Amino acid sequence: MDMGNQHPSISRLQEIQKEVKSVEQQVVGFSGLSDDKNYKKLERFLTKQLFEIDSVDTEGKGDIQQARKRAAQETERLLKELEQNANHPHRIEIQNIFEEAQSLVREKIVPFYNGGNCVTDEFEEGIQDIILRLTHVKTGGKISLRKARYHTLTKICAVQEIIEDCMRKQPSLPLSEDAHPSVAKINFVMCEVNKARGVLIALLMGVNNSETCRHLSCVLSGLIADLDALDVCGRTEIRNYRREVVEDINKLLKYLDLEEEADTTKAFDLRQNHSILKIEKVLTRMREIKNELLQAQNPPELYLSSKTELQGLIGQLDEVSLEKNPCIREARRRAVIEVQTLITYIDLKEALEKRKLFACEEHPSHKAVWNVLGNLSEIQGEVLSFDGNRTDKNYIRLEELLTKQLLALDAVDPQGEEKCKAARKQAVKLAQNILSYLDLKSDEWEY
């Protein structure tokens, strides 16, 4: 249909669809909860567009009715996606973990900056556990979940970093105020910075409703201006003291820009992160080596060269920069386990091959352990090839096979033979490691 002769109702529907399209990326990337201001704003906007679509007169014409139906379906789809993002089970999981961190900060950190004694080991262990659990939250590649997890981690890691930095490196002990009149002012500012540190932590964790980031930023900037205006009369020790306090203030100011920086740089989407790309490159090569081994007609010929290259891949993973990002650390940890598991598989295959060459009389219990190791080698080969989740029949079958081997080892009586005891212990550890690896492969974790 010529645009100049297009029916007014069709033109109106196209205008509405264009407006709906303008907020699509905001909906797809929405990482908040249903009580957030932005959620309500998007919900109101899309609901209004639905009413606008409904008010378009179709005049009983089929083509206009179809156009209105399509426009309504697209708007309803975005409304549904917005609701799903805000109420996704893993989004709720992230929020629940964050609320645990808030409780920890209220209990352990706010009192510290209000004159308490010290930051306890209990807090440090608690916050580390929370960070670890957050890195394990599954995103399924969903942008909204990646953003939510990243923003939550960023805040909590910032709090951890602020406290560690404060405990590790206090500014130089205040100089005597007799040294110079400006020292008294620097000492006063240093006390204000310490108070601001507590306020910043409370703000990052959302446990302070009486302060705003904007106001704290103005306060900190004002303190820098006060220090810059001081006349230190060329005294090096006073200038250095002032510089340390200014550096502390600048660090705190950077933390205030964390969320804005994350959104503008798309740091939450690790698919294009340099460190993650390095890890993925290592994993790609590891999988190629694995396939070569599992499909080879004569695998023993590949054992030495494969192990050498896999050790080199471990070295490459050791060099990956973590960028203070727990998700990158977790991705690297999993990659190391992947490579090490393949090395263990080769080690066991080699040991079994050598045993064939040097067959000799051995203790019945020792022989029983070797029989289990042979079974574990076959099962491990299947686990290495496994690509599914925990509801798959093959997962359940492999889990049962491994459990059966553990029971078989439990039934082995070493009869006082120390060598047998050690061999059985190693075999049990191997079986448990294969079980853990099967769990890791099937938990659908994504950075």
Side-chain angles (χ1 to χ4, degrees):
M1 183 183 289
D2 188 279
M3 291 298 290
N5 299 322
Q6 188 165 262
H7 194 285
S9 294
I10 294 287
S11 298
R12 178 61 187 138
L13 286 169
Q14 288 176 346
E15 288 172 10
I16 296 170
Q17 283 181 294
K18 190 175 180 181
E19 289 190 45
V20 170
K21 189 76 175 172
S22 70
V23 299
E24 183 174 12
Q25 290 308 309
Q26 292 180 55
V27 171
V28 170
F30 179 75
S31 60
L33 300 164
S34 55
D35 57 355
D36 288 0
K37 287 181 182 178
N38 205 30
Y39 178 91
K40 291 180 169 63
K41 180 182 173 184
L42 287 167
E43 186 182 42
R44 281 196 302 270
F45 178 81
L46 291 169
T47 303
K48 180 186 174 187
Q49 301 313 310
L50 270 179
F51 285 130
E52 291 286 339
I53 291 166
D54 194 50
S55 69
V56 173
D57 186 3
T58 65
E59 300 176 8
K61 294 181 178 179
D63 58 336
I64 302 177
Q65 288 174 344
Q66 286 299 314
R68 188 173 72 174
K69 183 180 178 181
R70 285 193 299 272
Q73 286 175 336
E74 178 60 17
T75 308
E76 286 167 352
R77 181 187 70 79
L78 287 182
L79 266 170
K80 186 178 180 182
E81 183 161 2
L82 179 66
E83 183 183 1
Q84 287 175 338
N85 284 350
N87 296 290
H88 194 288
H90 293 158
R91 179 63 188 91
I92 303 302
E93 182 185 359
I94 290 168
Q95 182 61 21
N96 289 339
I97 295 173
F98 182 63
E99 286 173 5
E100 284 184 46
Q102 286 180 310
S103 297
L104 204 57
V105 166
R106 281 194 196 96
E107 184 185 345
K108 305 292 182 185
I109 299 305
V110 173
F112 170 69
Y113 282 104
N114 287 335
N117 293 324
C118 63
V119 177
T120 63
D121 290 341
E122 184 185 349
F123 172 80
E124 291 176 4
E125 290 168 8
I127 211 75
Q128 193 57 48
D129 177 64
I130 283 169
I131 289 170
L132 183 63
R133 284 160 56 203
L134 275 170
T135 62
H136 288 174
V137 173
K138 300 170 184 66
T139 66
K142 200 171 172 63
I143 292 173
S144 61
L145 290 175
R146 281 179 167 171
K147 281 179 73 173
R149 187 179 66 177
Y150 181 83
H151 284 155
T152 307
L153 272 169
T154 300
K155 291 174 187 175
I156 296 173
C157 287
V159 169
Q160 186 188 42
E161 198 173 278
I162 290 167
I163 292 167
E164 284 180 354
D165 189 56
C166 176
M167 305 303 289
R168 181 175 62 246
K169 177 185 170 295
Q170 292 284 355
S172 303
L173 289 174
L175 299 174
S176 168
E177 294 185 7
D178 296 333
H180 193 274
S182 61
V183 172
K185 180 63 178 177
I186 301 175
N187 289 346
F188 170 77
V189 170
M190 191 176 74
C191 292
E192 292 301 304
V193 170
N194 203 45
K195 290 178 189 174
R197 194 177 278 112
V199 173
L200 173 60
I201 288 172
L203 274 172
L204 287 170
M205 297 302 295
V207 297
N208 185 336
N209 297 320
S210 62
E211 184 63 272
T212 65
C213 289
R214 185 185 293 273
H215 179 254
L216 182 58
S217 179
C218 289
V219 169
L220 291 170
S221 298
L223 292 175
I224 288 180
D226 289 345
L227 290 173
D228 286 343
L230 284 178
D231 179 13
V232 297
C233 300
R235 298 279 293 274
T236 303
E237 72 278 14
I238 301 175
R239 187 186 299 113
N240 289 340
Y241 179 34
R242 179 177 66 178
R243 189 189 71 248
E244 285 188 61
V245 179
V246 169
E247 286 173 356
D248 266 11
I249 297 172
N250 282 326
K251 282 181 186 176
L252 299 185
L253 282 168
K254 284 180 183 177
Y255 289 119
L256 288 171
D257 299 328
L258 280 176
E259 278 203 54
E260 184 180 339
E261 181 185 343
D263 285 331
T264 54
T265 61
K266 299 265 190 299
F268 56 83
D269 189 356
L270 293 175
R271 287 173 299 181
Q272 300 304 315
N273 178 276
H274 186 63
S275 294
I276 290 293
L277 289 174
K278 275 188 174 181
I279 292 170
E280 286 294 340
K281 186 178 178 182
V282 167
L283 287 173
T284 299
R285 181 55 193 146
M286 183 277 297
R287 291 180 189 118
E288 289 171 355
I289 295 170
K290 177 183 71 178
N291 292 335
E292 288 169 12
L293 282 166
L294 296 177
Q295 295 167 14
Q297 295 295 319
N298 190 11
E301 292 182 353
L302 298 173
Y303 290 161
L304 181 59
S305 60
S306 296
K307 275 176 66 175
T308 302
E309 188 170 356
L310 288 168
Q311 292 290 358
L313 293 180
I314 292 282
Q316 289 179 37
L317 289 171
D318 288 341
E319 293 171 2
V320 169
S321 170
L322 299 179
E323 301 175 21
K324 295 184 180 178
N325 188 320
C327 289
I328 297 175
R329 186 188 302 123
E330 177 64 11
R332 188 179 71 171
R333 184 188 74 84
R334 287 169 175 258
V336 168
I337 291 172
E338 291 265 9
V339 180
Q340 285 179 334
T341 301
L342 189 51
I343 292 172
T344 303
Y345 171 75
I346 296 171
D347 284 341
L348 180 55
K349 284 290 186 183
E350 280 186 318
L352 290 165
E353 288 291 331
K354 286 177 183 176
R355 186 168 178 270
K356 287 180 188 176
L357 297 173
F358 303 103
C360 59
E361 287 294 321
E362 58 187 353
H363 194 282
S365 300
H366 206 203
K367 185 177 180 180
V369 172
W370 272 108
N371 288 339
V372 172
L373 286 171
N375 294 335
L376 286 174
S377 174
E378 297 305 314
I379 297 168
Q380 189 175 25
E382 289 192 61
V383 171
L384 285 165
S385 301
F386 178 77
D387 184 20
N389 57 49
R390 292 173 189 177
T391 59
D392 291 355
K393 287 182 180 179
N394 200 28
Y395 173 88
I396 297 166
R397 182 182 68 84
L398 289 168
E399 190 178 42
E400 287 175 351
L401 285 172
L402 288 164
T403 303
K404 187 177 177 182
Q405 299 311 309
L406 280 167
L407 290 172
L409 287 168
D410 194 49
V412 172
D413 181 8
Q415 297 176 14
E417 284 280 329
E418 291 301 320
K419 194 176 178 183
C420 272
K421 284 182 183 178
R424 187 179 69 172
K425 186 177 179 180
Q426 279 189 311
V428 167
K429 187 177 179 182
L430 174 63
Q432 290 171 338
N433 285 345
I434 297 171
L435 261 173
S436 297
Y437 178 65
L438 179 62
D439 282 343
L440 181 133
K441 286 197 78 176
S442 58
D443 72 359
E444 300 173 309
W445 181 84
E446 257 194 298
Y447 43 77

